[in-house]
Amino acid sequence: MTVPASEMISVENARERILAFVSRLGVERRPLAEALGQVLAEDIVAPFDIPPLNNTAMDGYAVRAADTTGASETEPKRLRVIADLAAGYVLDTPVGPGEAVRIMTGAPLPPGADAVVPFEETDERLRDPGEQARKAAEVVVYKAAGVSANVRFRAEDVSAGQTVLQSGRVVRPSEVGVMASIGLSEAPVYRRPVVAILSTGDEITPPGEPLLPGRIYDSNAHSIAALVKKCGGVPRMLGIARDTIDDLTAKIHEGLDADMLVTSAGVSRGDFDVVKDVLAREGAINFWTVRMRPGKPLAFGAFRAPDGRQVPHLGLPGNPVSSMVSFELFGRPALFKMLGRSDWQRPLIKAITRDRVENTDFRRFYARCIVTLGEDGRYYADLTGPQGSGILTSMSAANALTVIPEDQPAAEPGDEIEVMMLDWEHAP
Ligand code: AMP
Ligand code: MG
């Protein structure tokens, strides 16, 4: 099939149209760690100071700093130990002149004390750890402690009433920790999009079943489900629709309670590519030819759900690489927007290609490549081998995609090219 360049739309244009159609979902409260990757829908305000009391940053002795002035290895100071204080307990007895309280990290500083001398600067370093240390009535201090030494101050992290996290913030492990530290057990976040996933084609067989001659296993539904999860969405598998209008229509109807419907295959111009026929009948659907490789045919539109909602539909191409790359470029931003996230753009960096990358058909070429950091501090890109849109192992080998512009017929070895990093964490 040859499509004149004039009928093709750019990647950006297709993405803008999709983003214009989808919107942020409603708010829910999730147990903290389950909100990972979701976006805060409210400001998070601390109801109390953190730390709530002055406390010790070290295991040691709470003292009056003035009592240690001049202490040294040769002229140590001796203090009377009046109590032993573990974290989690409060001592109201004041520390008087010449006195000390043996204190464990995190325990609130008793009144009167204004510094903590760590064990290492007392005769406790000489003692066997264990019971006798606790029972010693006296401590020998070998080093002077300044006022506030080893003290963590009330409210030094957060003051009561302070906004600790702003609405719109993506929840990462640190945000989970901050919310827990102020006593929250649930996070107010925008809901995760539920994505109904449907494969289409008479040849498609679910993994786990025997493969009949002429058939292939359904990889698309599973790779897309994994991408949906990685984007923070919730995949809902609709299975496989045969290439008949009736079966396809019935399966699509099963997915209309989702926030988005993703189908694969049946959008090219072959005889049995009935997805486009059903879509045209059942919804308001656009078919686009996007100026990119892999993945040229793309359908996008909406179905009307029984409850009147417009359910956005992304019709991915059937070839396994095309379907993953198209989801990456169009599905991921859409899911991010539903989650309330605007940070869908993958890192774009410059790398030196070590291969020739040919690009003669005026489309943007997203070739699978492996980007590594050279000893010279520059990034290098190596193609993963054959770039056919059915060669799914090329996707597995890659950690990035080249971004060769539409009007650049080739990049030569040694040329600097732009690459889009898919995976910074697992460099091959
Ligand atoms: P189509 O768009 O239906 O012409 O499909 C294009 C190519 O993708 C064909 O070779 C299909 O067999 C293949 N294909 C379609 N759906 C899937 C799927 N779910 N998993 C793997 N390959 C598929
Ligand atoms: Mg087909």
Side-chain angles (χ1 to χ4, degrees):
M1 163 181 95
T2 320
V3 176
S6 59
E7 279 184 27
M8 298 193 198
I9 66 172
S10 69
V11 170
E12 285 72 21
N13 190 333
R15 186 160 49 218
E16 274 161 27
R17 296 195 206 187
I18 293 170
L19 287 176
F21 191 85
V22 300
S23 27
R24 197 172 65 190
L25 300 174
V27 177
E28 63 177 5
R29 287 181 193 271
R30 298 295 294 156
L32 297 183
E34 287 174 32
L36 204 62
Q38 286 176 276
V39 171
L40 291 175
E42 295 168 11
D43 286 348
I44 305 294
V45 177
F48 51 80
D49 294 334
I50 301 177
L53 298 168
N54 290 353
N55 67 93
T56 173
M58 303 277 281
D59 295 331
Y61 288 85
V63 300
R64 301 166 79 97
D67 285 348
T68 68
T69 306
S72 67
E73 293 290 332
T74 48
E75 288 184 53
K77 302 280 178 185
R78 292 173 181 275
L79 300 173
R80 197 159 60 83
V81 179
I82 59 164
D84 204 327
L85 186 60
Y89 300 91
V90 174
L91 183 71
D92 292 324
T93 317
V95 177
E99 291 179 344
V101 167
R102 193 165 177 275
I103 193 170
M104 302 304 130
T105 304
L109 216 62
D114 58 6
V116 173
V117 181
F119 285 161
E120 295 78 356
E121 292 167 10
T122 71
D123 61 337
E124 186 142 346
R125 68 189 180 194
L126 308 169
R127 296 185 211 157
D128 280 341
E131 279 308 297
Q132 67 273 40
R134 283 193 203 136
K135 287 187 190 126
E138 213 180 51
V139 62
V140 181
V141 175
Y142 294 105
K143 200 171 167 191
V147 171
S148 305
N150 302 308
V151 175
R152 300 194 286 217
F153 290 101
R154 171 180 178 162
E156 75 176 18
D157 186 359
V158 172
S159 307
Q162 186 184 329
T163 297
V164 284
L165 299 171
Q166 282 189 330
S167 169
R169 177 71 82 90
V170 177
V171 176
R172 301 169 307 160
S174 334
E175 283 70 34
V176 167
V178 168
M179 286 186 276
S181 76
I182 62 164
L184 288 183
S185 60
E186 291 179 331
V189 285
Y190 297 107
R191 199 165 61 70
R192 292 186 189 280
V194 175
V195 180
I197 300 170
L198 179 64
S199 295
T200 71
D202 285 357
E203 77 278 32
I204 309 300
T205 306
E209 286 186 12
L211 197 64
L212 299 177
R215 305 275 170 97
I216 58 166
Y217 282 124
D218 180 5
S219 59
N220 290 350
H222 300 278
S223 56
I224 299 305
L227 284 169
V228 164
K229 278 190 128 176
K230 231 174 166 195
C231 295
V234 180
R236 194 154 89 63
M237 307 302 254
L238 296 178
I240 299 163
R242 300 290 141 219
D243 282 326
T244 67
I245 291 199
D246 286 350
D247 194 31
L248 205 52
T249 307
K251 290 267 174 17
I252 283 173
H253 284 170
E254 282 172 33
L256 293 185
D257 56 350
D259 297 302
M260 180 154 144
L261 175 67
V262 177
T263 59
S264 71
V267 288
S268 44
R269 297 189 180 175
D271 284 351
F272 298 97
D273 290 330
V274 291
V275 168
K276 58 183 189 299
D277 305 327
V278 173
L279 304 185
R281 272 180 18 171
E282 296 274 316
I285 297 292
N286 297 298
F287 294 93
W288 302 327
T289 308
V290 184
R291 205 175 291 127
M292 61 183 273
R293 185 157 54 99
K296 184 166 55 172
L298 184 77
F300 182 75
F303 285 101
R304 185 181 292 280
D307 63 4
R309 269 181 323 124
Q310 293 285 318
V311 183
H313 167 253
L314 185 61
L316 301 172
N319 277 310
V321 173
S322 310
S323 106
M324 286 193 78
V325 171
S326 301
F327 186 88
E328 171 64 39
L329 295 178
F330 307 112
R332 185 171 179 274
L335 294 197
F336 269 46
K337 184 164 181 200
M338 291 185 195
L339 278 162
R341 294 180 66 153
S342 51
D343 56 341
W344 50 262
Q345 179 64 64
R346 297 279 197 185
L348 291 169
I349 63 168
K350 301 283 182 200
I352 312 294
T353 180
R354 282 195 276 232
D355 295 306
R356 180 180 158 81
V357 193
E358 202 169 301
N359 185 39
T360 50
D361 60 359
F362 300 99
R363 293 191 269 164
R364 193 173 308 166
F365 189 17
Y366 295 99
R368 278 74 72 202
C369 65
I370 302 161
V371 172
T372 46
L373 184 59
E375 278 174 8
D376 59 2
R378 298 199 293 177
Y379 287 104
Y380 287 87
D382 296 282
L383 295 188
T384 55
Q387 296 289 323
S389 57
I391 300 175
L392 192 50
T393 50
S394 72
M395 208 56 202
S396 167
N399 64 353
L401 298 173
T402 70
V403 187
I404 307 290
E406 291 82 334
D407 58 0
Q408 184 181 332
E412 303 298 339
D415 283 355
E416 189 177 73
I417 60 168
E418 190 169 56
V419 294
M420 187 172 106
M421 297 306 299
L422 298 176
D423 194 349
W424 280 110
E425 289 166 34
H426 306 103

